[in-house]
Every structure is written in C-alpha cells, then in structure tokens.
Amino acid sequence: MDVTSIGWLTLPLAILGGAIRVSTPFIFVSIGELITEKSGRINLGLEGTLMLGAMAGYGVSYLSGSPWLGVLAAGLAGTTFGLLHGLLCSVKRVNDTAIGISLIVLGTGLAFFFGKPLIEPKAPALPSISLGFWSSMPQVRAALDVNALFFVGILLAFAVYVFLNRTGWGLMLRTVGDSEDAARALGFSVLRVRILATMAGGFLAGIGGSFLSLSYPGSWSEGLSSGQGIMAVALVIFARWRSINALGASLLFGGAGALGPALQGVGVTGYYYLFNAAPYILTLAIMVASTSRAAPFADAPGELKLHR
Amino acid sequence: MTAPQVELKNMTKRFGANLALNNVSLLIRSGTVHALLGENGAGKSTLVKCLVGFYHPDDGHIQVDGREHRLNSPKDADALGIGMVYQHFTLVPSMTVAQNLVVSGARLPAYINWQSELKRLAEVTKKLPFHVPLDVRVSQLSAGEKQKAEIVKQLYLGRKLLILDEPTSVLTPAEADEVLGYVRSLTRAGELSAVLISHKFHEVRRYADDVTVLRRGASVRTGAVANLSDDALAEAMIGEPVSKAVQHAPKLPPKSNIVLSMKQVSVNGDNGLPAVKDLSLEVREGEIVGIAGVSGNGQLELVETLMGQRDRSGAIAVSGVAFNGTRREIARLGVYGLPQEPLKNACIDRMSLAENLALRNFDRAPLCRGIAMNYGALTEQAAKLVKQFRVKAPGLTASMSALSGGNVQRAVLARELTQNVRLLIASNPTFGLDFVACEETYRRIVEARNGGAAVLLISEDLDELLGLVDRILVMSAGRIVHEVSADGADKRVIGKYMAGMKAA
C-alpha cells in the first residue's frame, strides 16, 4: 500500500502512539502518589524520585545487562526515597510539603551527580510488544510498538483498585488516610501504614522513572523528565483518588503531551512550543475546573485536609 | 460470655504536674448501666480511656470478672470485649457502613467477597431494633445514624462492656430514648454491662442503675441512682451546695423594631451541598430567639454566615441595613457574637489576654493613633474589663491559651458585651463550660436582652433554650420547621420536629 494514502491517519496514529508512550510514567507515578495520599500524606518529592529511578535503572541495566534488573533497581531506589520521606515526616512538627520539595532537589541532584558517567554508554532497553504486526504500514507498526511496562501499568491500576476496595489491608490504608482517630481507636499503627504507603509510592515512582531512561531507544540525560513527577500530584486530584481514573487521566495527559511532536510529524511546525505546553495548560484548566468549591470530594482522604 | 463485672481500683494518672485521676475506684456490676457524672475536666474521659487501653494509669488495677488485666493498647481492651463509642465518632467517613464494620474486625480479611460479606452483615444486624443502611457512606449519615452505626459496630464486634461518651449530645430526645433504651434492655437481659458518661441528671436517672460522681480527678460520691437526690448529685459535682438557678429577669413583651431579618437565605456546607435552605427569620429588639436542632442540621453554617464567614444567597439586614459581616458594618450596626469553643473561634490563642480583649476596637481611638497602637490604652482597657468581668488570669500579658475555659468565656463576654450591642449571636455558648461559667453566661445574655439587644441563641441543649428564650425556632435539614413561643413549648413536640418528623 502506498504510504501517502494513509495521510489522514498519520496524526491520530502519532497521537495514539505518543499517548501510550508518554502516559506510561504518568501511570506509575500517579498511582504511586495515589497510594501515598490514600494514607493521608502528600509526597511532593516524586519528581526527585523519578529522576533518581531513571538514573539508577539506566545504570543497573548498563552494568548488569538486564533492563528488568534496572527496573527493579529503580523501584528500590524509589522505595529508599519513600522511606526517607516517610521517616522524616514522622518526626513531630515536620511538614510533608516542605520535605517533598526538598526531596525533589535532593533526588534530582543525586541523579545528576551519579548519572554523569552514564550519559555516554548505551544500556540495553526494555522490550516492547508489537501490536501492529497485522499492518504492513510502518507508521502503524511504529505507533503500536508498545513498551512492556505500559501493560504492567494497566494491570497495576486494576490491582490497586482491588487492593483498596476488596482487601483488609486496603481498608486499613483508607482508614488511616481518612481518619486518624478512627485508625487509632481500631489499634492500627498510623505511622507504620503511612511510611509503608510512602515507600510503595516511591517504588512505583522509581519504576516510572526507569521507563524514561529504558524505553526505546533508551538513554540517560539530565533533561529526561519534564515535570511528570509534579504533575502526577495534580493527576491524582483530577482522578479523584481512584486508580482506574488515574489510568484514564494519565492517557489523557499522555495524548496531550504527544500533540506537539505528532503535529510536527505531519509537518505542522508552527507553534511547536505552544503545543508542547498542552499538558501543562490542560493541568491548569483541569485543576481549576475540578476543584470548584461546590463539588464534593467524596473519595478525598480526610487526613489530607483539603477542605480548609 | 455474659455481661462482665469490671472493677477499677485506685486509678491514678498524671499529665505532667496535673493530677487527672486521683485514686479513683469504680465498680461496674454485671448487667448494669453505670453512669459517670462530672463537669468537663473532672476526669471522666481520662478514666475510661484507661479502661480502653488508650492511656496507661500511673497506678491502679483493672479487674474483669475478678481477674486482673493490664491494658497496654486498645487491642487488649478489644480482647476483653471492652469497647467505646466516642463523642467524636471513629467511623471512617469516606467508607460505607459495611466497610467500616469489616475494617473494625479483629482479624483483617485478606480478600473480601462483598456479596457474601454483605449477606452476613445483614444477617447480623437484622436482630437490632434500629436499622442502619450498610451500603451508604458514613459521611452521608446524620449524626443520629452515625451514633447508631457506632453501637451496631460495637455489638457486631461482640463487645460485652460498652462505654458511651455523652451519647445524647447529638441525638434528638426520641433517638436518645431509642438508643439508650436498647442498651438498657440489653443490660437487663444480662448480655451487656455499660458505662454512660453524662452531665445530665435526668439522663442518669432514667437510664443508669449506679452512678459515680467525679470532681477534679477524684471520686466524690458513688451509689445506686435511686438512693441519691438531684441536689445531692449536683452538690457532689460542683463541690458546694447549689443555690437555685439564677432567676432570669421577667420576660418583657418584645418591642416591635426588627433588628435582624433574614430572607430566603441559602448557604452551602463545606462539602458543597446546601446546608441552609431558603431560611427566613426575624429577631426583634429586646427578644431572645432560640434555634433548637440536632447538631449538623445547618446551625454552624447559619452562624458562620451571620458572622460573615461564608458565602450565601438571600438577604440579611440588621436594623434595616444590608449586612455582609464586614468589620465596618459590625461596628456600625452593633453585631457581636459568642461562638462555641471561644478559645478556638473567638480568640487568638497565642496572643495575650489584653490583645484578645482589644480585638473588637484595636483599630479605633483611643487604642490606636494613626497607624500606631497605643499599648497604654490597651492595657488600661484590659485591666478594666478583667476587673469588671472577674476574669482570672496569670496576668494581662499571659497568652490566651493559659486561661481556663471559664475564664476564656468571661474574657469573650467582656469584650463582646461591653460594645454597643444591637444584635448578639450566641452559638452553643456554654458548650464545655463549668456550672458557674454557664450561669454567668446566661445572666449576661439576659442582661444584654434587657438592655434592648436582639439575641439569636443557637443551642443543641433544649433545656438551656427553654430556660432562656422568648421564642423557639426548630431547625432541621437546613430549614426552620417549627416556631413556638417559649411559654407554649412542649419538649416532645419540639423533639419530633428536631428529628424531622411532623408532630402528630
């Protein structure tokens, strides 16, 4: 088939492919943040965790030759940062927002420092699964060449849904996040649950970071993240603290993020930077629209104290 | 297992230098309701928190059915079948009643099959005399329903000693009767023992078998309720023979000038849902209008709206002038307030007593000159008010939080009532105050009324309202559903309206 005959399809295909690619880190980071927030704490430091995960994942993949070991290492690095956040916030009169922001700086700094020697070498990248095998068109194949972590992310969203709604531990987590008094009266250890939830959030954010450096073609550089770790916090609010919604929201943000490159791909080069700003504009618009004073937040964890 | 007999022996608990419990002993006989009576801060809560493992007594023993136990955590109390219904509920608001029941179980299930779980829960709760919906979020239940859900939870967990902390503060008289009547019937049947914390005599008399009176951390009187008169209980509670309640000045016929007028006012609550709906009312000069209602029916939002803290639709006018609660309007129209929990809602706790006393007029002469404060005048005013209202404080420069609850209230009374008050809005003004401070608050409110002020008194305490007001409005689900003059008021009728039912 002639390549030009699918010209009208190029743009949606490019956006679809881009959405899948760009959304993957969002899925991991936002679901990680969701778990942390469900315990009643906000970890704003996931941007730092993301960068650290990207660096650690790339480094371990390069040294061991296995990208999956890299993913695991990224998760563990994130877990360590989650533990750090969890422990620091457990000290009296320490504010989780301030700790989060300082962890952004610390994580990014550490990643840059240890990542210096990783800019040159080439590490093995994560495998991708070809969903476009049925088509002979290279554009379709390229768009549907989906990284394995994306599927893990989809499974994760459903697994977290089941965890929060159908397991005893999930209910315990929600209890701690919604009412500290209730949790104490039931004999739950509030601090332990919160620290574990922050560690789980860090683990997932680290994995999200490893996607940035280990997905095709795979490279480590200091400009790898474009604020996904921070926007995930907004995503969680937009998703109303529901994991399936977070998956959808991540795809939406991914699509918006793919808009600029996709338009460039079909030859629309004007306003490139404006289109690249689409996810951020979308973030602002959605936050304004969805945090209206009149809309009740039934699933918002009470301990976050979002109602003034 | 049947109703246990629980004995607390020589319990002592210190918080720093403060002796919260001083050698208190208590015997809860099997199958009885034992009332704990005392003013706020008398040690009732501390005592029962030791019993549920929240606090660890410095000294003393706890025996259940003659065997000694150490309670290190709420889980130990759990294992003994001791459970407490807290005044501030401990249900998780964003979860359904069913989820709350499951999460409170001794062993957390790994995986929950909601279909079979709901069937099982329905089976268990079917035997109860009151119905609580299982699949509704707790945040959507009324306060009364939450209370019932708490009790359902305790019974579901197989508790044999139930501690109820001021349970009726959020219930209508009919609901109180339903809930406490049920607890009482369970104790009579020998299935349960109960502790009822209260400060209302009639409640103790009606539902309890035994009573122990606490004062300043010590047990001062204990015995069968039937053997103790109200006077004896009151005397034990406040530590001196009580003079009969202050006689309020004879009620005067109200003048015709309307001071406060609200027309079709609607206000949204914190959750964005309407809390006050289309509410209209008028308060005249020299009149106390009471608003009765179970807490959570829009009273808080109504008060915050009147004080200018909330957006609203509809018209509010004071002395015929539109009122939006700006500082200038407050001073010009003479609108002042006595909110509940005055330390939190009417004071800045880290500022000094003198500064708090000046919050209403610090920006006017003589307290300020241009942009500079005149601290001499501020201190002078404070000294005068402290003397006039007999505020006891470590000093004028002491931080507000160093004052006792009664003295914080006196300071607020001094600040608010020495202004030129045309309209006074009082919201549960005696909540948490001791006997003497309550009486003083009542007296000052009546004085303000006699001085020509219009008073709107919002209270959850029906007895308080009936003793003070000229006219009662009943608020339910954000609306005024009933109006009656205080002379013709019937508690049962008002109670029915409070519960949202039409009176028969």
Side-chain angles (χ1 to χ4, degrees):
Chain A
M1 199 184 277
D2 189 10
V3 170
T4 52
S5 70
I6 59 143
W8 63 273
L9 256 180
T10 315
L11 186 62
L13 266 176
I15 292 179
L16 176 69
I20 290 174
R21 196 171 53 249
V22 179
S23 67
T24 308
F26 274 130
I27 296 173
F28 281 92
V29 184
S30 64
I31 289 180
E33 179 68 19
L34 186 144
I35 293 174
T36 305
E37 288 193 14
K38 272 287 182 192
S39 81
R41 264 195 195 146
I42 291 186
N43 183 359
L44 281 183
L46 291 188
E47 178 71 16
T49 311
L50 190 83
M51 285 307 281
L52 196 70
M55 185 280 296
Y58 197 75
V60 170
S61 172
Y62 170 65
L63 292 174
S64 70
S66 159
W68 291 106
L69 267 183
V71 171
L72 184 66
L76 292 180
T79 310
T80 315
F81 250 53
L83 177 65
L84 186 63
H85 184 278
L87 288 178
L88 286 175
C89 291
S90 305
V91 181
K92 266 190 187 149
R93 283 192 289 278
V94 168
N95 176 282
D96 53 356
T97 308
I99 294 291
I101 290 171
S102 54
L103 285 186
I104 295 181
V105 181
L106 179 65
T108 318
L110 284 178
F112 288 1
F113 177 72
F114 289 109
K116 276 277 181 267
L118 294 173
I119 296 177
E120 277 298 305
K122 183 86 191 99
L126 283 167
S128 51
I129 294 162
S130 242
L131 292 184
F133 56 85
W134 46 269
S135 169
S136 57
M137 288 177 281
Q139 290 97 328
V140 174
R141 279 169 172 264
L144 294 180
D145 205 27
V146 180
N147 192 286
L149 270 186
F150 178 72
F151 298 103
V152 178
I154 290 178
L155 287 181
L156 179 72
F158 287 93
V160 168
Y161 172 82
V162 171
F163 173 75
L164 288 176
N165 291 291
R166 300 196 159 226
T167 68
W169 284 6
L171 292 188
M172 176 167 77
L173 177 71
R174 288 169 58 189
T175 302
V176 169
D178 214 29
S179 163
E180 207 171 313
D181 283 343
R184 284 192 203 291
L186 292 173
F188 296 151
S189 166
V190 174
L191 281 186
R192 196 191 316 162
V193 171
R194 287 192 177 153
I195 290 173
L196 286 174
T198 315
M199 286 167 71
F203 181 78
L204 294 178
I207 291 182
S210 74
F211 175 87
L212 291 177
S213 60
L214 289 177
S215 67
Y216 177 83
S219 72
W220 158 254
S221 76
E222 295 184 355
L224 215 47
S225 163
S226 45
Q228 284 99 326
I230 295 171
M231 290 225 297
V233 179
L235 262 176
V236 172
I237 299 174
F238 172 51
R240 298 285 158 98
W241 294 270
R242 291 178 198 153
S243 62
I244 311 286
N245 287 2
L247 176 65
S250 299
L251 284 169
L252 184 67
F253 272 59
L259 195 60
L263 282 171
Q264 199 185 29
V266 295
V268 181
T269 49
Y271 308 111
Y272 177 70
Y273 290 101
L274 189 63
F275 283 120
N276 266 356
Y280 310 98
I281 296 168
L282 193 67
T283 311
L284 264 180
I286 282 171
M287 292 305 285
V288 170
S290 67
T291 51
S292 120
R293 266 176 94 172
F297 269 176
D299 275 316
E303 289 294 323
L304 291 183
K305 309 218 160 49
L306 291 174
H307 311 298
R308 59 164 186 135
Chain B
M1 189 162 73
T2 50
Q5 167 161 318
V6 178
E7 193 167 8
L8 296 125
K9 285 185 176 167
N10 309 106
M11 305 286 282
T12 297
K13 174 79 186 168
R14 282 186 190 80
F15 294 108
N18 182 7
L19 191 61
L21 285 179
N22 184 5
N23 209 21
V24 175
S25 296
L26 185 74
L27 173 67
I28 305 152
R29 292 181 295 135
S30 163
T32 60
V33 177
H34 194 117
L36 272 183
L37 197 63
E39 297 195 353
N40 284 63
K44 295 170 294 183
S45 298
T46 312
L47 184 64
V48 294
K49 280 185 177 164
C50 289
L51 187 51
V52 292
F54 243 132
Y55 291 156
H56 310 296
D58 299 325
D59 204 5
H61 312 277
I62 296 173
Q63 288 186 349
V64 179
D65 289 330
R67 293 241 318 264
E68 178 140 352
H69 291 274
R70 276 190 64 81
L71 301 176
N72 292 317
S73 81
K75 289 206 162 151
D76 295 340
D78 241 36
L80 289 169
I82 300 174
M84 176 154 168
V85 176
Y86 294 87
Q87 210 175 351
H88 302 284
F89 299 123
T90 54
L91 295 167
V92 186
S94 80
M95 303 203 311
T96 65
V97 175
Q99 287 172 332
N100 267 287
L101 290 179
V102 170
V103 83
S104 62
R107 196 177 295 147
L108 279 178
Y111 180 79
I112 304 157
N113 179 343
W114 280 114
Q115 218 169 0
S116 60
E117 195 67 32
L118 279 174
K119 213 178 281 173
R120 197 175 67 81
L121 292 175
E123 202 65 35
V124 174
T125 52
K126 210 166 61 185
K127 291 176 288 185
L128 301 174
F130 35 79
H131 172 74
V132 178
L134 286 174
D135 50 359
V136 172
R137 280 178 198 263
V138 168
S139 55
Q140 287 166 351
L141 297 178
S142 73
E145 286 175 310
K146 281 182 197 162
Q147 178 97 32
K148 289 181 196 167
E150 285 277 3
I151 290 177
V152 167
K153 184 172 99 181
Q154 299 298 331
L155 297 176
Y156 164 79
L157 294 173
R159 299 284 161 76
K160 291 298 169 189
L161 176 71
L162 202 57
I163 304 164
L164 303 164
D165 189 1
E166 308 228 348
T168 55
S169 57
V170 295
L171 301 178
T172 66
E175 281 177 320
D177 205 46
E178 187 184 14
V179 169
L180 291 180
Y182 179 62
V183 169
R184 168 135 223 191
S185 72
L186 284 178
T187 59
R188 288 262 163 89
E191 290 176 31
L192 200 70
S193 305
V195 176
L196 172 67
I197 301 180
S198 180
H199 60 247
K200 294 181 187 159
F201 293 164
H202 67 89
E203 216 169 273
V204 169
R205 201 156 284 291
R206 181 142 188 202
Y207 302 107
D209 303 292
D210 299 336
V211 58
T212 294
V213 183
L214 295 182
R215 189 175 76 241
R216 291 191 194 142
S219 162
V220 288
R221 198 82 194 248
T222 185
V225 176
N227 299 337
L228 291 165
S229 68
D230 278 0
D231 281 346
L233 290 175
E235 194 178 324
M237 217 164 107
I238 63 170
E240 54 195 49
V242 272
S243 57
K244 283 289 168 208
V246 180
Q247 287 295 316
H248 301 307
K251 286 166 185 170
L252 312 162
K255 307 200 171 118
S256 55
N257 310 1
I258 295 169
V259 177
L260 171 68
S261 129
M262 303 179 69
K263 286 207 178 82
Q264 294 172 337
V265 171
S266 295
V267 184
N268 284 353
D270 280 342
N271 57 6
L273 302 172
V276 176
K277 298 163 195 160
D278 235 0
L279 182 141
S280 302
L281 62 82
E282 283 172 351
V283 186
R284 287 157 205 278
E285 195 181 322
E287 175 186 48
I288 303 179
V289 172
I291 292 191
V294 179
S295 80
N297 275 285
Q299 299 98 317
L300 179 73
E301 288 82 359
L302 173 65
V303 171
E304 291 184 353
T305 307
L306 283 171
M307 305 308 269
Q309 294 168 306
R310 235 169 229 283
D311 297 341
R312 58 162 158 89
S313 64
I316 299 178
V318 175
S319 308
V321 183
F323 180 75
N324 292 304
T326 63
R327 196 167 168 84
R328 180 178 302 191
E329 287 171 350
I330 287 170
R332 196 158 57 96
L333 299 171
V335 181
Y336 294 95
L338 301 172
Q340 64 184 351
E341 297 182 70
L343 182 62
K344 196 172 129 204
N345 295 318
C347 298
I348 299 163
D349 55 358
R350 288 188 203 174
M351 281 191 178
S352 72
L353 170 60
E355 285 166 336
N356 270 290
L357 284 170
L359 285 179
R360 283 293 183 196
N361 59 355
F362 71 90
D363 52 355
R364 293 198 293 271
L367 294 194
C368 78
R369 286 177 299 219
I371 57 165
M373 294 287 302
N374 178 353
Y375 269 88
L378 187 137
T379 311
E380 198 179 305
Q381 164 180 296
K384 200 180 90 195
L385 291 177
V386 162
K387 193 163 164 235
Q388 191 184 343
F389 280 76
R390 285 171 290 124
V391 183
K392 284 191 210 104
L396 294 179
T397 53
S399 107
M400 203 64 192
S401 52
L403 272 65
S404 74
N407 284 305
V408 169
Q409 176 76 337
R410 279 183 202 106
V412 173
L413 286 167
R415 184 184 74 204
E416 301 290 307
L417 298 182
T418 49
Q419 312 293 329
N420 178 22
V421 183
R422 302 303 309 143
L423 172 63
L424 180 68
I425 295 154
S427 164
N428 291 308
T430 59
F431 182 82
L433 294 187
D434 62 41
F435 231 77
V436 183
C438 283
E439 282 303 325
E440 176 157 11
T441 308
Y442 295 150
R443 189 164 55 79
R444 300 275 183 190
I445 289 175
V446 171
E447 277 173 14
R449 192 265 319 259
N450 295 346
V455 181
L456 185 66
L457 173 64
I458 293 99
S459 177
E460 283 151 32
D461 189 338
L462 202 47
D463 298 322
E464 173 175 297
L465 284 173
L466 289 170
L468 274 179
V469 304
D470 303 299
R471 189 150 63 89
I472 287 192
L473 307 175
V474 182
M475 195 163 175
S476 172
R479 296 174 202 278
I480 301 292
V481 291
H482 185 57
E483 174 176 347
V484 61
S485 100
D487 304 328
D490 179 340
K491 238 172 127 170
R492 278 173 312 173
V493 177
I494 292 176
K496 279 191 177 168
Y497 278 107
M498 280 163 69
M501 291 180 271
K502 278 232 166 79

